Amino acid sequence: MRLVIEREALIKGLGSISKAISSKVPMPILSNVKMTLNEKGLELLGSDNDLVIRTTVPYMIGDKEIIRNSKPGSALVSFKYLSDIVRHMEGEYISIEVIDEIVLRLDDGKSNFRLNSIKPEEYPDIDLELFGAIFDVKASDLFALVETTAFAASTKDGRPVLTAINFDAHNNVLTTTATDTARLARKKVDIDDNIAFSVNIVAKKFLDIVHSFENEEIVTVAVSDKKIIFSFGFTVISVRLINIDYPNTKNIIPKSFNYYLEVNSREFLAAMERVSVLSSEHEGVVKLVMTEDEVEIMSRTVSVGSANEKINTFQFSGERLEVSFKSSFVSDAIKALKCEDVTIAFVGEMKPFVVKNVKDDSIDMLVTPLRS
């Protein structure tokens, strides 16, 4: 393999696969990046066994030549050292050449490096062909589906399926659901394809993946029984699924409510943040006391003290109601809704309540109250 490549394009390509290469890998070979120069350009492949990312640096981008003086071939070298070397080199273009199949030479006219290279055949075979349920979706919709719900997934490994987002398709609707059993977030978007599947993707990985869609319009998705593949631009990403049944949450959202509180998002968030300062020993638990004439947020810790604040802008309908909850759960839900005003709908003091944007019925946020 031989080529001269624009340094910035190579840096961008290596950055694209960086999330798939970890220092803690099940097999030492996976700490390497597989480089293959073919008719499409320079393919960079990385994997941690659960996540696979392949991106291609093309020969041309628009009218600009990115790769020249090329000869097809492949190499397998340490991702860490290759990435560090390329970032520290100063030349606009880097000459790369494989020597005797065991050395990768990098030269920018000023600096010269030689990296030990492993035979590419030793890298595990990875299939990135699209098969299963295949459909196209707007990148912005996929990003919204994940960003709106990922926060509600569990961060504890006790029940692995709860660390995942359930990704579901049915009747031309895509739905993402995340829950840690104390709260739930759900988002829906319409699609053109009438396909059906229900799979579970680790929330942290799903969030990392959709952040890769920046500046893309359409993403092609392929869902099979063991993995899901996302194809966009010059990049393909595959992630292993969690093959455990997701909890049944379809009918968990209450159908009717007895109390409604409408507040300004910014004011309510700020008040909760101030009041919960004194409740850190109790995981930020606050109490919300509501009447038609007054809404107050309060917290109390025996060893520290108490705090309370009245909300200026609100509208409440229903009898007097007191509800205690973990402030971060409600704050996360409000931030994910991204709207100026929110409505919090209650069934009763100890029943799960809903935080919602009344102008957008595609999102459901459910929070379980606590005893105080």
Side-chain angles (χ1 to χ4, degrees), residues 17-32 47-48 78-80:
I17 68 168
S18 61
K19 291 183 176 66
I21 302 181
S22 169
S23 58
K24 299 177 181 179
V25 289
M27 297 181 287
I29 196 77
L30 295 180
S31 64
N32 295 283
S47 171
D48 65 3
S78 164
F79 174 81
K80 179 185 183 303

Side-chain angles (χ1 to χ4, degrees), residues 98 159 174 225 247 254 275 306 328:
V98 177
R159 291 181 64 185
L174 282 180
D225 58 339
V275 171
S306 62
S328 63

